[in-house]
Amino acid sequence: QVQLVESGGGLVQPGGSLRLSCAASGSIFSINAMGWYRQAPGKQRELVAVLISAGSTNYADSVKGRFTISRDNAKNTVYLQMNSLKPEDTAVYYCSAKIRPATLSRLYDYWGQGTQVTVSS
């Protein structure tokens, strides 16, 4: 069974940094894309950053220049380095991936359980 497990959230002061990690585990044939979304209280879930297997990236305008997504293919892990954090970055951050399980013939969307990021002084 494929799972995504996130780590790295927490409380940080404005201007600080955090790095989120998300590891995919289970019987995996291939991973097409991995990315991060976030959902603040009372708001819809939004894309933060996504990294396609070919190496292309896409970022929300609000995080460009501050956040960097990267991936360790050998570990099936995606990272989100968040710098210059602002109070408006406060949200639950979710990892997402398009994965083809070893026993199936197409890609499926998987989600992590979410990790809280709070930016406050």
Side-chain angles (χ1 to χ4, degrees), residues 9-18 82 85-87 90 117-121:
L11 173 65
V12 64
Q13 292 186 342
S17 298
L18 281 175
M82 305 185 293
L85 282 160
K86 305 175 181 179
T90 295
V117 172
T118 303
V119 184
S120 175
S121 55

Side-chain angles (χ1 to χ4, degrees), residues 26-104:
S27 298
I28 296 171
F29 180 82
S30 64
I31 301 177
N32 185 318
M34 299 187 82
W36 292 92
Y37 291 73
R38 67 186 180 187
Q39 188 167 18
K43 295 188 177 181
Q44 289 189 332
R45 190 173 298 189
E46 63 175 358
L47 172 70
V48 177
V50 64
L51 195 157
I52 310 300
S53 59
S56 63
T57 58
N58 188 31
Y59 292 93
D61 287 342
S62 59
V63 307
K64 284 180 181 177
R66 299 188 298 123
F67 291 10
T68 302
I69 189 170
S70 62
R71 180 173 160 181
D72 185 333
N73 290 328
K75 296 181 179 179
N76 287 338
T77 299
V78 65
Y79 304 96
L80 185 68
Q81 178 66 43
M82 305 185 293
N83 299 328
S84 302
L85 282 160
K86 305 175 181 179
E88 50 264 43
D89 294 317
T90 295
V92 178
Y93 284 69
Y94 296 91
C95 174
S96 177
K98 292 187 180 294
I99 297 174
R100 177 183 166 185
T103 57
L104 300 174

